[in-house]
Amino acid sequence: MASIKEVAKEAGVSVATVSYVLNKNKYVSPELTKRVLQSVQKLNYNANPIARSLRNKKTKTIGVILQNIINIFFPQVLAGLEEYAKEQNYNLLFFNTYNDLNAEKEAITSLMNMWVDGIILDSCVPEPMKTEYVKFIEGIKSHKSVPIVLLERTLGNNNHSAVTVDNFNGGYIATKHLIDKGKNRILHIGAINEWSMTLERTEGYKAAMVEYGLEDQMMIKYANLRPQDGYELMKEILMQNSTINGIFTANDQLAIGAMKAIKELGQLIPEDVAIVGFDNIFVSSLMETTLTTVNVPKYEMGRLAAKQLIDIMNNDNIQPEVIKLPVNLIVRQSTDLRGEKNWELYGW
Amino acid sequence: MASIKEVAKEAGVSVATVSYVLNKNKYVSPELTKRVLQSVQKLNYNANPIARSLRNKKTKTIGVILQNIINIFFPQVLAGLEEYAKEQNYNLLFFNTYNDLNAEKEAITSLMNMWVDGIILDSCVPEPMKTEYVKFIEGIKSHKSVPIVLLERTLGNNNHSAVTVDNFNGGYIATKHLIDKGKNRILHIGAINEWSMTLERTEGYKAAMVEYGLEDQMMIKYANLRPQDGYELMKEILMQNSTINGIFTANDQLAIGAMKAIKELGQLIPEDVAIVGFDNIFVSSLMETTLTTVNVPKYEMGRLAAKQLIDIMNNDNIQPEVIKLPVNLIVRQSTDLRGEKNWELYGW
DNA sequence: TAATGATAGTGAAACGATTAATTGTACTTA
DNA sequence: TAAGTACAATTAATCGTTTCACTATCATTA
């Protein structure tokens, strides 16, 4: 691979001139410009980004830390991130933490040491540990400043940019939808992990229940956010001949598990029990009884987070901003037999 | 962030000494070693990987080019890649091509120019274009040599390392399984894209049909590898009052679509029509009628490809090798009501 | 004609590491 | 004591860019 020196030699000019021609940041006569460009072409020259990074202290690279790419929620977020980043000529360095807070901290440190220009962080920090976690992040930042944009959650204060969704409202409209469908014994299955996003969903549920005078009927259980756990919990509950006629779960995975249990025990969805999930993972539209759910704009979250980060990197007196994206209810068969039956087009 | 120069100054030694201490590649007296290490600690020094890369011409970075991370097949591959790479202290630069061959070529060029140490390439090149594509790859490699490991497919010759699966055998055992279940009017839905992997699956189907004297019964249709397409194609076929009693599809997505069509038209799975998919995407185990399928070890493919690449990078007289991983049939309810009903544990 | 100004182009330092070549000190041996 | 040896530590070149500071050339003006 040719270097700028070889191009300069070939064109009979100095390396500075070559650099100026290619970066168009200083006047160079048409004649030399032409000679330089010809040499570039002839030698198939491309600037070495490593050398450039060393000199410029910019790597044109964004670190992406996700909880678990295997969880079908995330690939779409990553796709959104990737697309916007590539449009802006940034590359993505990818880290998976598997919901391990230590792995996450290591990833952050690692990315800092690699001089990425910015970090997109989908943290797995639970709500009770945020104070300590914030200290870690601020410590890191004081050591070397790198812009960070958080995904899905804030850090409790407004010192960090973030792209989140309106989880509270999601929980609220989900629950209200069940109430509108005439359900009054509504169970909520929340997340055992104390993540702010799921806690907010639970608060939305409570708010709706209270608003519609169902405060006494509130019933909340907690589970891991996986179908197996939804299935088992649901079996257990239904066996105790419950009178539940509506369920709102903290995510679609739980709902899918719960639906299976409900069907196995011979109850009808939505007639006997209606159910609403959260996230709108595409699998929800594939089930035989398609799942009503609160749609989270995953791809857009990714794109927006990338945009926000790049904006900050290009202009360092931008104030931290927390974007809260709206959510919307997608009514499918698990609450309304005339609900949407079409498959989501993504996921393939 | 402190540089090696500052550490040297703080410790009162030369930068060379610092480097030797940290890289442990030359004897340094215990006394100086101690002083250096203390300074390193005090200044919280980390070597700048950019500078190191420039000097060493190694970036400790692997480029990963995938067709589409949104397709649920790939996240697991990526997880496998990521895990092994991180174990070996390599980072991943991630590219999505959306099955666009030009985007793929650009990604390759881009990664070469970024001086990645190696590339994992899940190409989307169709079989008929391989000759031309090989020229492109070899052209690239002659310009600057970078090891490439292919995923899922070879380039037709054995000049390039690859991690593939035994697609032919997969097609064969899938079809044989249907025959064993007493099915004799077996439709195969192949991929419209002429990818070697799906072509091989089709060949496996043919081989089994011929072997069991069902040559005259062969029936092959082609579709895009998405549930919608499986659904529509299947509806069309069943409307023409077909006598099909078995189906083998080129992937699970098609099978999931086909199952929906079959059920909607009132036929029973597997009694009237049994169906086998390919890939074992986890959704297959979630369906109400779980799907019999040929399991492709996705995570292992990722890990192995990363291992193969890193091995090559560490030892450049390793010969190109094509690894063909075995596949296995997972019998579920779409061919056998007593088949496996458990959910796959991944995907959440 | 001499002094001044404008500007195209170049030289060289800098980014932060690694490492070959060299220096300088201490010790051994004749 | 002088020459030779060993080896710890340093100096400086190098990787490939960018960009500041400078030179050299030519035109302009008094």
Side-chain angles (χ1 to χ4, degrees):
Chain A
M1 299 264 289
S3 73
I4 197 172
K5 217 184 255 176
E6 297 168 61
V7 174
K9 197 172 173 188
E10 165 78 25
V13 299
S14 70
V15 292
T17 302
V18 177
S19 175
Y20 290 133
V21 168
L22 294 177
N23 296 307
K24 299 190 176 72
N25 50 4
K26 207 171 177 192
Y27 179 84
V28 176
S29 67
E31 197 195 351
L32 288 202
T33 302
K34 193 179 156 202
R35 271 182 17 221
V36 166
L37 292 178
Q38 277 176 346
S39 305
V40 165
Q41 182 116 57
K42 184 171 171 192
L43 299 178
N44 198 351
Y45 168 76
N46 281 289
N48 180 328
I50 312 285
R52 178 177 283 166
S53 294
L54 180 60
R55 169 72 214 212
N56 291 348
K57 294 182 173 293
K58 300 255 172 189
T59 54
K60 279 284 180 178
T61 299
I62 294 172
V64 175
I65 303 176
L66 296 182
Q67 292 172 35
N68 188 2
I69 188 66
I70 287 180
N71 181 328
I72 45 173
F73 181 88
F74 292 106
Q76 284 195 59
V77 178
L78 181 57
L81 284 169
E82 204 258 356
E83 218 169 291
Y84 189 80
K86 287 288 148 57
E87 282 171 27
Q88 305 292 319
N89 288 310
Y90 279 86
N91 290 296
L92 295 188
L93 269 174
F94 171 69
F95 281 71
N96 224 2
T97 65
Y98 294 109
N99 284 312
D100 174 347
L101 198 55
N102 282 326
E104 182 180 314
K105 287 180 177 177
E106 276 171 34
I108 296 173
T109 314
S110 209
L111 286 169
M112 307 279 306
N113 290 335
M114 292 162 75
W115 295 79
V116 293
D117 293 344
I119 295 178
I120 302 277
L121 172 59
D122 198 315
S123 175
C124 61
V125 62
E127 197 61 23
M129 297 180 68
K130 272 193 184 168
T131 346
E132 188 206 325
Y133 188 78
V134 168
K135 274 184 205 152
F136 166 79
I137 294 279
E138 318 241 297
I140 284 275
K141 280 199 168 183
S142 72
H143 178 224
K144 174 175 176 337
S145 142
V146 169
I148 297 180
V149 170
L150 294 153
L151 265 179
E152 294 201 89
R153 45 171 77 53
T154 68
L155 288 186
N157 56 35
N158 283 342
N159 300 338
H160 308 272
S161 288
V163 177
T164 66
V165 298
D166 195 343
N167 290 298
F168 177 88
N169 188 241
Y172 176 85
I173 59 176
T175 310
K176 180 168 181 309
H177 174 67
L178 286 168
I179 296 170
D180 287 347
K181 289 290 172 189
K183 308 299 178 180
N184 52 6
R185 297 273 300 146
I186 302 172
L187 164 72
H188 171 57
I189 308 182
I192 229 169
N193 326 54
E194 300 179 77
W195 289 331
S196 53
M197 26 179 296
T198 44
L199 292 173
E200 289 159 19
R201 294 172 191 182
T202 300
E203 290 309 310
Y205 160 81
K206 288 183 190 166
M209 292 296 272
V210 168
E211 184 175 329
Y212 288 88
L214 295 171
E215 197 163 359
D216 301 340
Q217 307 289 336
M218 285 209 300
M219 185 176 174
I220 306 183
K221 299 274 178 182
Y222 295 95
N224 276 314
L225 296 172
R226 300 173 306 184
Q228 300 94 303
D229 298 78
Y231 175 78
E232 277 155 30
L233 178 63
M234 207 58 227
K235 268 240 155 121
E236 203 180 296
I237 291 172
L238 291 178
M239 300 286 233
Q240 302 157 0
N241 71 45
S242 83
T243 55
I244 289 163
N245 55 16
I247 307 174
F248 163 53
T249 59
N251 78 350
D252 287 350
Q253 282 87 330
L254 280 175
I256 288 168
M259 284 207 289
K260 179 161 175 168
I262 294 166
K263 288 191 179 181
E264 281 185 13
L265 292 175
Q267 301 209 20
L268 293 178
I269 302 175
E271 295 88 342
D272 298 331
V273 185
I275 181 162
V276 181
F278 210 113
D279 283 349
N280 190 27
I281 58 177
F282 72 93
V283 176
S284 307
S285 71
L286 271 184
M287 300 286 100
E288 267 159 65
T289 305
T290 58
L291 177 65
T292 296
T293 187
V294 177
N295 180 56
V296 171
K298 299 164 277 292
Y299 178 87
E300 291 75 11
M301 274 177 69
R303 262 194 90 87
L304 219 59
K307 173 163 175 13
Q308 209 183 5
L309 184 64
I310 292 174
D311 286 349
I312 295 171
M313 297 185 317
N314 289 337
N315 175 357
D316 39 41
N317 46 14
I318 283 184
Q319 290 305 305
E321 185 193 0
V322 173
I323 296 178
K324 191 184 275 187
L325 293 173
V327 295
N328 62 298
L329 192 73
I330 298 186
V331 179
R332 297 206 184 96
Q333 297 169 297
S334 69
T335 59
D336 183 340
L337 287 175
R338 294 155 316 170
E340 270 196 49
K341 292 178 193 174
N342 294 338
W343 285 319
E344 292 283 346
L345 289 173
Y346 52 83
W348 316 116
Chain B
M1 297 264 288
S3 74
I4 197 172
K5 217 184 255 177
E6 297 169 60
V7 174
K9 197 172 175 189
E10 164 79 25
V13 299
S14 70
V15 293
T17 303
V18 177
S19 175
Y20 290 134
V21 168
L22 294 177
N23 295 308
K24 298 191 178 69
N25 51 4
K26 208 169 179 192
Y27 179 85
V28 177
S29 68
E31 198 196 351
L32 289 201
T33 302
K34 194 180 153 200
R35 265 171 37 209
V36 166
L37 292 178
Q38 278 175 346
S39 305
V40 164
Q41 182 116 56
K42 183 171 171 192
L43 299 179
N44 198 351
Y45 169 75
N46 281 287
N48 181 327
I50 311 285
R52 181 178 280 163
S53 294
L54 179 60
R55 169 69 214 215
N56 292 347
K57 295 183 172 292
K58 300 255 170 187
T59 54
K60 280 282 179 176
T61 299
I62 294 172
V64 175
I65 303 176
L66 297 182
Q67 290 171 36
N68 188 2
I69 189 63
I70 287 180
N71 182 327
I72 46 175
F73 182 88
F74 291 106
Q76 284 196 60
V77 177
L78 180 58
L81 285 167
E82 203 258 356
E83 217 167 291
Y84 189 81
K86 287 287 148 59
E87 282 170 27
Q88 304 292 318
N89 288 311
Y90 279 87
N91 291 295
L92 296 188
L93 269 175
F94 172 70
F95 281 72
N96 224 4
T97 66
Y98 295 108
N99 284 313
D100 173 347
L101 199 55
N102 282 327
E104 183 179 315
K105 286 181 176 177
E106 276 171 32
I108 297 173
T109 314
S110 208
L111 286 169
M112 306 281 305
N113 290 336
M114 292 163 75
W115 293 80
V116 293
D117 294 344
I119 295 177
I120 303 276
L121 173 59
D122 198 315
S123 176
C124 61
V125 61
E127 198 60 25
M129 297 180 69
K130 272 194 184 166
T131 347
E132 187 206 326
Y133 188 77
V134 167
K135 272 185 206 152
F136 166 77
I137 294 280
E138 319 240 297
I140 284 274
K141 281 200 168 184
S142 72
H143 178 224
K144 172 172 178 338
S145 142
V146 169
I148 297 180
V149 170
L150 294 153
L151 265 179
E152 294 200 89
R153 43 171 77 55
T154 67
L155 288 186
N157 55 34
N158 282 342
N159 300 340
H160 307 273
S161 288
V163 177
T164 66
V165 297
D166 195 342
N167 289 298
F168 177 88
N169 187 242
Y172 176 85
I173 59 176
T175 311
K176 181 168 179 308
H177 174 67
L178 286 168
I179 298 170
D180 288 347
K181 290 288 172 190
K183 309 298 180 182
N184 52 6
R185 297 273 300 147
I186 302 173
L187 163 71
H188 171 56
I189 308 181
I192 230 169
N193 325 53
E194 299 178 78
W195 290 331
S196 53
M197 26 180 297
T198 44
L199 292 172
E200 288 158 19
R201 294 172 191 183
T202 300
E203 289 309 310
Y205 159 82
K206 288 185 191 163
M209 292 296 272
V210 169
E211 184 176 328
Y212 288 88
L214 296 171
E215 197 163 358
D216 301 340
Q217 305 290 334
M218 285 210 301
M219 183 173 175
I220 306 183
K221 298 275 177 181
Y222 296 94
N224 276 316
L225 296 172
R226 299 174 306 181
Q228 301 93 301
D229 298 78
Y231 174 79
E232 277 156 28
L233 178 62
M234 206 59 225
K235 268 241 156 122
E236 202 181 298
I237 292 172
L238 291 178
M239 301 286 234
Q240 303 158 0
N241 73 43
S242 85
T243 56
I244 288 162
N245 55 17
I247 307 173
F248 163 52
T249 59
N251 78 351
D252 287 350
Q253 282 88 328
L254 281 175
I256 287 168
M259 284 207 289
K260 178 162 178 168
I262 294 166
K263 288 190 178 182
E264 281 185 12
L265 293 176
Q267 300 210 21
L268 293 177
I269 302 173
E271 295 88 341
D272 298 331
V273 186
I275 179 161
V276 182
F278 210 114
D279 284 348
N280 190 28
I281 57 176
F282 72 93
V283 176
S284 308
S285 72
L286 272 185
M287 300 284 102
E288 267 158 64
T289 305
T290 58
L291 177 66
T292 296
T293 186
V294 177
N295 180 57
V296 171
K298 297 164 278 293
Y299 178 87
E300 291 74 11
M301 275 178 69
R303 262 194 89 86
L304 219 60
K307 175 165 174 13
Q308 209 183 4
L309 183 63
I310 291 174
D311 286 350
I312 295 170
M313 295 186 315
N314 289 336
N315 176 356
D316 40 40
N317 47 16
I318 284 183
Q319 290 304 305
E321 186 194 0
V322 173
I323 296 178
K324 191 184 274 187
L325 293 173
V327 294
N328 61 296
L329 193 73
I330 297 185
V331 179
R332 297 207 184 95
Q333 297 170 297
S334 70
T335 58
D336 184 340
L337 287 175
R338 294 154 317 169
E340 269 195 52
K341 293 178 194 174
N342 294 338
W343 285 321
E344 292 282 344
L345 289 173
Y346 52 82
W348 315 115

